[in-house]
Amino acid sequence: MTETVDYGTFEATLERSNRLELALQAEPSRFLVLTGDRPTGRLHVGHLFGSVENRVRLQNMGVPIFVVIADYQVLTDRDYGDDIAANVHHIVLDYVAAGLDPDNGRTSIFPHSHVPELNQLLVPFLTLVTNAELNRNPTVKEEIQASGRQQINAGMYTYPVHQAADILFCKASVVPVGKDQLPHLELTRAIARRFNARFAPDRPVFPEPQPLLSSAPAILGLDGSAKMSKSRNNAIELSFSEDETAAHIKTAKTDVDRLITYDPERRPEVANLLLLLSLCTKKTPEDLASEIGDAGASRLKSLLTEALNEYLRPLRQRRRELEQEPGFVGRMLNKGIAQAREVAQQTLAEVRQAMGMAYGIGGR
Ligand code: TRP
């Protein structure tokens, strides 16, 4: 393991990502996308505009896509009191209501806890990284800080290796991610390279997956904090009623200046509301700001409430219908699990073969 994990510059990654986007548009079926979320709560508009709409776009372009619900990853930084099963249930409803379609033959949604062969890849992968590398991961360091805990479990340090198994089990070529996930993707690429170099120098088993950076601007929380998240109670969830949406937008933090201007540097809270309004109306935040002028934050909030409720209406309608359909979520998950397992079994067989550890029937 002489070669170190190379995090590269963000600019270079962005440029590669832009070229990748063009290649995807030209030949969507040549690629395989893997992406996913931790099931920590219901999805909110930050997820929708930040990642989910982009997945739906890729799916509809014709790219095959696996969406991993990373339920084991939830255990890294919190107690087990959270109802993970309920979160998994709701995230499936949110995904499908937003347009991901497991019935199209190209889209699979699965919880990684239910794909044993994927999890088994973790064991050899752990031998391809050093403790020092795991300790250096900047995203993990931030999460340890944010957890506010004294006792950090080993899963917190090793989950990026597990994430490599999420990505490599299906030999994904493209991983749509936000900036915070880039360290995990670089580690994944290093694991793929090292596995090939060590066990399969003549016939590489794993491709090196490439990050596709989201071009969507980050959505702040309604309280102006850096991230919209359920635990900070600053999110607008997709499953909110129209009244709940209105009530939450009413509480959004703004500032004392009555004249509405788009100034993300100096007026981040107002800019964030304008950005959300812009995403719903397809007008620029600048134009919206001058339309509102000195009608102030209350006008901005009422416009946003109306626009967002209208934008989300079809999704919410569909979500309510799916919720009524008996056994719907179970059917979606069984399908995704079966598809993921079939691929994972194949990959694990290749991995064992490459490692010279395929014994017995079906071995050598
Ligand atoms: N770590 C990701 C997050 O917190 C979730 C995730 C798990 C993921 N496995 C993945 C993302 C594989 C992309 C690819 O959001």
Side-chain angles (χ1 to χ4, degrees):
M1 261 171 288
T2 45
E3 164 235 27
T4 51
V5 179
D6 176 14
Y7 291 116
T9 68
F10 182 68
E11 287 67 30
T13 307
L14 187 59
E15 203 194 304
R16 270 198 304 276
S17 169
N18 290 339
R19 265 181 282 144
L20 178 59
E21 172 66 41
L22 295 177
L24 275 159
Q25 287 171 13
E27 264 184 293
S29 62
R30 235 191 62 211
F31 294 87
L32 176 62
V33 166
L34 179 294
T35 170
D37 297 293
R38 297 180 181 195
T40 53
R42 301 183 186 208
L43 295 184
H44 52 63
V45 297
H47 296 117
L48 184 71
F49 293 125
S51 57
V52 176
E53 283 193 346
N54 193 41
R55 296 175 192 169
V56 175
R57 185 183 67 91
L58 291 165
Q59 164 194 273
N60 294 348
M61 266 161 55
V63 187
I65 173 164
F66 275 105
V67 182
V68 59
I69 301 174
D71 49 354
Y72 277 151
Q73 237 183 63
V74 178
L75 307 178
T76 56
D77 70 348
R78 64 195 74 205
D79 292 324
Y80 313 125
D82 282 9
D83 194 346
I84 295 180
N87 290 343
V88 169
H89 181 86
H90 286 294
I91 213 172
V92 172
L93 290 171
D94 287 332
Y95 283 153
V96 180
L100 288 174
D101 178 13
D103 283 329
N104 70 4
R106 290 192 313 275
T107 302
S108 309
I109 300 171
F110 67 96
H112 61 184
S113 64
H114 281 51
V115 184
E117 298 82 3
L118 179 162
N119 291 296
Q120 216 174 131
L121 294 175
L122 180 60
V123 180
F125 285 2
L126 280 169
T127 69
L128 295 169
V129 299
T130 64
N131 268 343
E133 285 173 326
L134 298 182
N135 288 331
R136 256 201 322 268
N137 186 308
T139 298
V140 170
K141 281 194 199 165
E142 272 168 37
E143 285 166 347
I144 289 174
Q145 281 278 320
S147 79
R149 292 172 165 239
Q150 299 295 319
Q151 310 263 22
I152 303 301
N153 70 46
M156 178 58 111
Y157 295 94
T158 53
Y159 88 75
V161 184
H162 193 212
Q163 187 156 329
D166 289 341
I167 296 169
L168 294 177
F169 93 92
C170 63
K171 305 186 183 179
S173 49
V174 177
V175 185
V177 282
K179 207 175 169 181
D180 65 320
Q181 298 294 306
L182 287 174
H184 302 344
L185 204 69
E186 278 316 319
L187 186 74
T188 301
R189 290 162 59 84
I191 288 172
R193 274 197 304 278
R194 291 171 189 175
F195 185 94
N196 292 338
R198 179 158 175 200
F199 298 114
D202 301 327
R203 249 177 100 231
V205 173
F206 295 112
E208 280 185 52
Q210 298 203 60
L212 184 68
L213 282 163
S214 127
S215 57
I219 308 288
L220 310 181
L222 292 176
D223 57 358
S225 68
K227 220 172 172 177
M228 192 173 263
S229 86
K230 186 192 175 80
S231 51
R232 298 186 202 182
N233 194 29
N234 66 8
I236 304 167
E237 295 179 13
L238 301 182
S239 53
F240 273 179
S241 69
E242 300 202 351
D243 287 347
E244 285 174 303
T245 304
H248 273 76
I249 292 176
K250 256 205 191 91
T251 68
K253 191 172 166 209
T254 52
D255 54 42
V256 291
D257 197 344
R258 230 190 127 66
L259 182 69
I260 296 301
T261 54
Y262 184 63
D263 186 348
E265 278 293 307
R266 278 182 301 166
R267 306 182 68 187
E269 299 92 357
V270 167
N272 189 49
L273 300 182
L274 285 166
L275 177 61
L276 280 169
L277 183 57
S278 147
L279 289 163
C280 298
T281 58
K282 314 290 176 222
K283 295 186 189 172
T284 69
E286 289 83 357
D287 285 351
L288 290 161
S290 55
E291 275 174 38
I292 297 167
D294 62 7
S298 65
R299 176 83 184 131
L300 170 56
K301 287 181 178 182
S302 66
L303 284 175
L304 175 59
T305 301
E306 210 176 300
L308 192 57
N309 277 336
E310 184 180 319
Y311 188 87
L312 294 176
R313 205 164 288 139
L315 182 158
R316 285 170 167 167
Q317 173 63 29
R318 192 159 157 59
R319 197 184 190 286
R320 279 192 297 272
E321 286 164 15
L322 298 172
E323 225 169 352
Q324 298 304 316
E325 206 177 299
F328 176 78
V329 169
R331 183 169 74 77
M332 292 297 111
L333 289 175
N334 281 340
K335 201 166 172 148
I337 291 164
Q339 280 155 342
R341 281 200 74 180
E342 192 181 322
V343 175
Q345 278 162 2
Q346 172 65 33
T347 301
L348 182 61
E350 282 175 52
V351 161
R352 285 178 168 158
Q353 196 70 45
M355 295 175 74
M357 298 173 100
Y359 319 124
I361 298 166
R364 285 199 282 193

